[in-house]
Amino acid sequence: MRRIELIAILLLLLLCACSSDRTSTGTSILPTSDEILVYVDTFAVRSAQAGASAIISQPDSLLLGECDSPDQRFGTIHADILTQVACPESFEYPDGAWLESVDLYVYYSSWYGNGTSPMSIAVYELDKQTFNYSDLYPSDLDINDYWSGDKVTTCISKQEQVIVPSSTRDSIYLSSTSSYLPYIKIATTDEFAQKVFQIRDFSSQESFQNILKGLYITTEFGSANILYVRDIILTVRYGFSYRKMGAENDTTVYDVKAFYANSEVKKVNRIVYSDRDNSMLNDSLNYIVSPANMYAQIKIPIGEMSTDILNIIGSEKRPYVNRAKMQVNVVYDPSKASDKLTQEDWAKPSAYMMLAQKDSVDNHLSTHKIGDALISQLAQGTDSAGATIYTYSFDLVKILTKELRSRQAGYATSDTLQMVLVPVEPTIASSSNVVYYTAVSAKQTISTTTIKSTNSSQPMELEIVYSGF
């Protein structure tokens, strides 16, 4: 029998194996030195809670507001926005133009929390320094590095702005989605308006930022909702007059110039947590909270695995991991999910989860490169009893094969492969009906994913199929 046929039969037998005990499907047809050994084994995977104080802030959408978690289990999240506005290069005001008003518009697509609870918005001018476009900034940056804290001289809000997120009193209708896009209109003080209007150097973003370093948008009160901010626009409304040829009187025209917080400028979401009550955390559960609050640390016993596997297949044979699927069960009851702050559901699980080695997580998220990180989508299924389960599944074949061969070659490192589960937003592409991920970013919106820990009655396990020949 040719070897390729033999391997095909062995793999077919392998797919039928379901025992969690170590099982050999090796064959004695070949000489001992050529024997292909195939085994199935199960190893316990340990998990632990890991803190995540910050992420690299590169948001597509921005959070604004404050929200308490139930019983302060995850603390209180407070989200501010620090943003530059783009210079309209080569723009010029008409001769004789005069100022009418300067207003700030903050558009938000949705909100999390109690949409009927009021919140107060305040806007200040950054007066200490601005951002470099090419630099990366953490979400827990120190506001005192950019703002003096002087609310009297740096406040640009003409009056206190109190809103109710669910109100569509100020909104625009989007025909493309047949929905309303709410916005907050903030009238600025006369001093700030005059400062903006007196800017005449629009030669570059750098020269513009020397005068207007940026804006700090925050909330003064309210701890029940977070806005998902979509756009920020600073507008200058001005007027000017001109006389048409042959006319006896001047014609007055009013126009608006918009300064956008777009992709050409730096936007940073400052996200800080406070008042976490660790006594409310459940020892049998691990929580993965975004943005930047809690991750789950996964500890794979690679030392134990390599010792067992290499002893079984022997030092003469090259190890192959044929199958290594780790299933992460999510504790989630969608019937209890809502947009309200309840004990059962502070937020829904993340749609996507990344599993990466602990020392490479920051690199993946700051460069957006996936590399050897694994990404899984939240999936719904049923268990053996017919109950609904929600899971992430990760294929660890490449990682474990690499580790086993390194250890066989004598390059052993730690006895534990330290990995981290992180909620993410991947960039998805497809080709020939095959979907794949091209980039990854830290999840910026609110989510809470609950998984069973090592101390639960059903901890994670890793079943692997390995061979040596």
Side-chain angles (χ1 to χ4, degrees):
M1 181 181 292
R2 291 180 300 176
R3 178 170 297 188
I4 189 170
E5 294 172 345
L6 178 60
I7 293 174
I9 293 174
L10 290 173
L11 291 178
L12 181 61
L13 291 172
L14 193 60
L15 293 175
C16 299
C18 60
S19 172
S20 61
D21 299 325
R22 179 176 298 134
T23 304
S24 171
T25 57
T27 176
S28 60
I29 296 177
L30 296 176
T32 303
S33 59
D34 294 333
E35 189 176 46
I36 302 173
L37 300 174
V38 182
Y39 287 91
V40 180
D41 213 342
T42 301
F43 296 89
V45 176
R46 301 184 64 84
S47 65
Q49 199 70 63
S53 60
I55 56 175
I56 297 300
S57 183
Q58 298 173 297
D60 292 325
S61 62
L62 296 155
L63 303 183
L64 177 63
E66 185 172 291
C67 202
D68 295 330
S69 63
D71 304 321
Q72 295 302 104
R73 182 175 302 173
F74 312 121
T76 298
I77 176 176
H78 185 91
D80 302 324
I81 298 171
L82 289 81
T83 183
Q84 299 168 337
V85 291
C87 168
E89 293 190 18
S90 303
F91 170 72
E92 293 182 1
Y93 288 106
D95 293 339
W98 65 86
L99 175 65
E100 288 289 314
S101 64
V102 174
D103 300 299
L104 182 69
Y105 291 84
V106 178
Y107 295 85
Y108 58 97
S109 56
S110 60
W111 63 88
Y112 178 78
N114 187 350
T116 61
S117 181
M119 61 191 301
S120 173
I121 312 295
V123 186
Y124 302 95
E125 184 181 357
L126 298 182
D127 59 340
K128 295 181 73 171
Q129 65 172 316
T130 188
F131 302 105
N132 294 319
Y133 184 79
S134 58
D135 290 348
L136 299 176
Y137 296 89
S139 58
D140 64 345
L141 59 78
D142 188 347
I143 186 61
N144 297 314
D145 291 339
Y146 302 89
W147 179 55
S148 65
D150 190 333
K151 294 186 176 182
V152 176
T153 62
T154 62
C155 183
I156 75 167
S157 309
K158 180 172 288 187
Q159 59 191 18
E160 184 180 21
Q161 188 72 42
V162 179
I163 70 159
V164 175
S166 61
S167 172
T168 57
R169 181 187 62 184
D170 295 324
S171 60
I172 59 174
Y173 182 74
L174 301 177
S175 58
S176 59
T177 60
S178 299
S179 62
Y180 288 92
L181 178 64
Y183 67 83
I184 307 162
K185 180 182 178 181
I186 300 171
T188 67
T189 63
D190 294 339
E191 293 80 7
F192 180 78
Q194 285 294 337
K195 175 179 180 176
V196 173
F197 185 65
Q198 288 170 7
I199 298 175
R200 290 297 185 269
D201 185 358
F202 299 110
S203 60
S204 68
Q205 183 68 31
E206 290 73 21
S207 61
F208 180 74
Q209 287 172 186
N210 286 335
I211 304 172
L212 182 59
K213 294 180 174 63
L215 305 176
Y216 170 45
I217 308 173
T218 185
T219 53
E220 297 291 295
F221 76 77
S223 58
N225 35 49
I226 298 281
L227 301 181
Y228 290 161
V229 174
R230 174 172 168 173
D231 291 300
I232 299 170
I233 305 173
L234 184 68
T235 64
V236 177
R237 188 173 186 270
Y238 61 92
F240 63 94
S241 297
Y242 72 98
R243 181 168 296 182
K244 295 180 180 179
M245 186 177 297
E248 295 183 1
N249 299 315
D250 290 344
T251 298
T252 299
V253 177
Y254 296 95
D255 201 358
V256 174
K257 186 60 187 176
F259 299 77
Y260 296 93
N262 57 22
S263 60
E264 299 174 3
V265 299
K266 199 71 176 180
K267 301 185 290 291
V268 177
N269 220 163
R270 177 176 173 267
I271 300 171
V272 293
Y273 288 85
S274 61
D275 304 324
R276 180 192 299 168
D277 188 350
N278 290 328
S279 67
M280 298 303 299
L281 301 180
N282 191 321
D283 187 52
S284 65
L285 301 172
N286 292 141
Y287 302 97
I288 306 168
V289 183
S290 72
N293 189 356
M294 295 181 180
Y295 296 159
Q297 186 169 324
I298 305 300
K299 302 176 181 180
I300 298 176
I302 189 64
E304 174 192 347
M305 292 170 60
S306 63
T307 299
D308 286 358
I309 291 172
L310 295 179
N311 283 341
I312 290 297
I313 66 173
S315 59
E316 300 83 8
K317 297 185 181 295
R318 187 172 176 81
Y320 289 84
V321 177
N322 308 104
R323 183 179 183 274
K325 182 170 288 188
M326 186 177 76
Q327 180 170 295
V328 180
N329 291 334
V330 177
V331 180
Y332 177 54
D333 184 352
S335 67
K336 297 179 181 179
S338 68
D339 63 350
K340 297 180 181 180
L341 302 176
T342 66
Q343 177 69 25
E344 294 82 7
D345 178 64
W346 189 60
K348 296 179 181 179
S350 175
Y352 294 91
M353 194 67 65
M354 179 179 77
L355 178 67
Q357 296 193 50
K358 186 177 180 180
D359 57 4
S360 67
V361 169
D362 289 342
N363 182 60
H364 289 305
L365 297 181
S366 61
T367 63
H368 303 292
K369 295 179 180 178
I370 295 177
D372 58 356
L374 308 172
I375 297 177
S376 179
Q377 184 174 5
L378 183 66
Q380 177 180 336
T382 55
D383 61 16
S384 57
T388 301
I389 57 172
Y390 294 83
T391 65
Y392 304 101
S393 293
F394 298 97
D395 186 350
L396 303 181
V397 166
K398 291 184 179 179
I399 294 175
L400 295 184
T401 298
K402 179 181 177 181
E403 287 287 332
L404 288 176
R405 291 179 181 177
S406 294
R407 288 170 178 273
Q408 188 183 48
Y411 301 116
T413 54
S414 171
D415 285 338
T416 304
L417 185 58
Q418 302 278 359
M419 308 193 79
V420 181
L421 280 172
V422 181
V424 293
E425 294 287 357
T427 301
I428 302 173
S430 62
S431 177
S432 301
N433 296 323
V434 177
V435 177
Y436 56 96
Y437 306 116
T438 60
V440 65
S441 300
K443 187 173 180 62
Q444 194 78 17
T445 54
I446 296 174
S447 71
T448 300
T449 306
T450 305
I451 65 174
K452 294 181 179 180
S453 75
T454 304
N455 299 320
S456 70
S457 59
Q458 295 178 314
M460 278 182 284
E461 292 182 334
L462 175 59
E463 182 180 86
I464 68 172
V465 177
Y466 57 92
S467 58
F469 57 91

